[in-house]
Amino acid sequence: MNIDALDTPTLVANLDVLEQNIDGMAAHCHQLGIPLRVHTKTHKVPEIAKLQIAAGSQGITCQKLGEAEVMVDAGIDNILIPYNIVGKPKLKRLTTLLKRAKIIVALDSEETAVGISQQAIADNCIVPVIVELDTGSGRCGVQSPQAAQRLAQQMMKMEGIDLQGIMTYPSNGRAKPFIDETLDLLSSDGIPVNIISGGGTGAEAASKEIGCTETRSGSYIYEGMTRVGSSEMLTPERCVLRLIVTVVSTPTPDRIIIDGGQKTFTSYPPTPYGHIVEHPDAKIYGMSVEHGHVNVSECSHRFKVGERLSVIPLHQGMTSNLHDTLVGVRGNNVEVTWKIAGRGKVF
Amino acid sequence: MNIDALDTPTLVANLDVLEQNIDGMAAHCHQLGIPLRVHTKTHKVPEIAKLQIAAGSQGITCQKLGEAEVMVDAGIDNILIPYNIVGKPKLKRLTTLLKRAKIIVALDSEETAVGISQQAIADNCIVPVIVELDTGSGRCGVQSPQAAQRLAQQMMKMEGIDLQGIMTYPSNGRAKPFIDETLDLLSSDGIPVNIISGGGTGAEAASKEIGCTETRSGSYIYEGMTRVGSSEMLTPERCVLRLIVTVVSTPTPDRIIIDGGQKTFTSYPPTPYGHIVEHPDAKIYGMSVEHGHVNVSECSHRFKVGERLSVIPLHQGMTSNLHDTLVGVRGNNVEVTWKIAGRGKVF
């Protein structure tokens, strides 16, 4: 089928560029000598995760338990969930999932650890965990090497927990003193550290430099418009995703309206909302829920109702989460339709 | 089941308040003497649309054809789609849907009209249409009464189209001269006008005043946090939706992290992202994709990992579109789980 036969707005992925990005990151990490554990939050498509594993990723990362369940359903068996698993329903799901795949979870508090331990005891299993360090991101994570040590000491006394190591995000030089001191303290307690997980697309070399045993990279898979312009190496040609949209109204000479708005692109600020590939001088200046508002005052091209445009979305992970399917194209040929199986797995 | 047994983050609706809002708007429109045609874009739940119809709405409005299909599947048979239907796949779906329900579509160009006419001829049916006027919203719509007249004249010559009237959004005094002049011009051409559709929650009286035959109101169903504070009458108690979330990390005395972020609440700017009902002095100051970052420096309460909170989301329509289900509660009792069947119907 030709791409022009697709209804709009449709999310499509350029498979050639997707494969380039997968191979490029795999080669980059191989060259650096840092094992890659891809983060699948950006795409949420099991088939893409499998391509990443086939290219050398040693497993995957899922931000939520529900996404991990989807990936295990698809046959993926090595998953890090860098998220505090809290509450009875999720703890039960975690131990259930653990019987089907190798799962590691991150945590940052005694409360989370106790919950996991109690559920593991009840279900007669051992949960591998790592301690999240807040080395500057200001989100979750223990606040000091001493706090990491305290939590590790507490966990060593708990049944059902197998403390495997530590994690940080993002990997950078600022994290090194925190990590090094934590390693010293754990070593002095005789607590072995098998995993030092770092992360962030673009931080692969930093992960290696600060001593990580693996690096988590996610957004590289599509490359985002937010990164276009932030690096000389990155151009729209590297961006995998396009939203194929239709011009549905040309109300004034300066304005056209496309059939995708916040519900199609997400409302992620700031503007621009996306980059129109065929007419970069046409600027999406606003969006209502179902319409995109485009300023065409600087375009010589005269747009017509029914004309189709290809738009690179701004925040590719949030955009993917709004769509049920992703259409893989090679040139103008539709090659595959993937279900975005991890979409909406908020639990 | 008790609400505390729900996994988090879960989107719940207070059914008592929902019913109050439905009955209140129905009574308001009845008192004004303006027929109501509810807009379902905010909730996308057929069961709620049916409650609105049972309370007196003369039909519904769906922003996208895919949402209309979902509503027809659920047995609703009178739908306005105020959206230019463009392109072969959608035109075919439109004529197919027309065999199952009374559908009216809005349009603003000859191109859209020709597409509808050709498909209607091919499928041997008549499509009821209304002309969208841009009376100040700056989105779609013809730009002048003369342009409305021209388009109406063109359509009167087309087969397969039944011109029924005009529409505007939002209803306000500025629209009146535009509407009145359009009516005069159409009248002088002998073109009958059966429908003058106005809209916008809070604009019901304006719809009546400017001569509309119906008013479209949508966001009143939930009342949004964006409207809290904009009117003395509107308080958080009127807001139907809550996201039940769990505290998953308390990394510093000033900061807690909840298990819902942009993928749960949407990234709709500006801050605040939501209102924490139990602790209004706890401020959600930022969100990453799966985490909400809350400043608790002004709270005397000491938050614990595992504690549950109820958050009123900022943009209730966009938030609903991120969830597969809506749980209806009465007090702390879970009464019903509805599928958000119109979610993600971007086509």
Side-chain angles (χ1 to χ4, degrees), chain A residues 8 67 83 90 108 249 290, chain B residues 7-8 83 90 108 249 290:
Chain A
T8 66
E67 295 179 359
Y83 207 92
K90 283 197 192 64
D108 68 358
S249 183
E290 297 289 9
Chain B
D7 202 352
T8 66
Y83 206 92
K90 282 197 192 65
D108 69 357
S249 182
E290 299 287 10

Side-chain angles (χ1 to χ4, degrees), chain A residues 117-290:
Chain A
S117 168
Q118 289 176 345
Q119 191 69 46
I121 293 167
D123 292 330
N124 197 27
C125 63
I126 307 283
V127 181
V129 307
I130 56 180
V131 174
E132 181 170 357
L133 314 181
D134 181 1
T135 58
S137 70
R139 194 167 66 187
C140 299
V142 297
Q143 298 295 303
S144 68
Q146 290 72 30
Q149 180 189 30
R150 265 196 306 279
L151 180 54
Q153 288 170 343
Q154 288 162 338
M155 286 198 285
M156 293 304 282
K157 296 176 198 154
M158 295 180 196
E159 287 179 61
I161 283 187
D162 175 21
L163 177 58
Q164 284 281 320
I166 56 178
M167 70 163 272
T168 186
Y169 174 83
S171 291
N172 57 41
R174 281 193 302 162
K176 193 165 187 341
F178 196 135
I179 291 172
D180 286 349
E181 191 174 349
T182 302
L183 293 177
D184 285 347
L185 291 169
L186 296 182
S187 173
S188 70
D189 286 341
I191 299 173
V193 172
N194 303 316
I195 298 172
I196 305 170
S197 185
T201 289
E204 297 78 20
S207 286
K208 178 68 180 177
E209 283 161 22
I210 64 177
C212 293
T213 62
E214 65 176 26
T215 194
R216 310 180 309 277
S217 301
S219 61
Y220 82 90
I221 188 71
Y222 290 153
E223 296 294 356
M225 274 303 293
T226 48
R227 299 190 69 229
V228 171
S230 67
S231 157
E232 283 181 31
M233 299 297 290
L234 199 57
T235 65
E237 288 69 38
R238 291 274 304 279
C239 297
V240 169
L241 293 187
R242 300 288 185 274
L243 269 161
I244 310 298
V245 299
T246 298
V247 176
V248 292
S249 183
T250 57
T252 72
D254 283 359
R255 181 170 81 234
I256 65 170
I257 303 293
I258 56 176
D259 64 349
Q262 294 174 2
K263 231 186 70 185
T264 304
F265 282 86
T266 191
S267 49
Y268 191 77
T271 53
Y273 295 83
H275 172 86
I276 300 178
V277 176
E278 297 87 351
H279 303 283
D281 45 1
K283 303 294 184 194
I284 303 175
Y285 67 89
M287 282 191 171
S288 38
V289 173
E290 297 289 9

Side-chain angles (χ1 to χ4, degrees), chain B residues 162-194:
Chain B
D162 175 21
L163 178 58
Q164 285 280 324
I166 56 178
M167 70 163 273
T168 186
Y169 175 83
S171 291
N172 56 43
R174 282 193 302 161
K176 192 165 187 343
F178 196 134
I179 291 172
D180 286 349
E181 191 175 350
T182 301
L183 293 176
D184 286 346
L185 292 170
L186 296 182
S187 175
S188 69
D189 286 340
I191 300 173
V193 172
N194 304 315

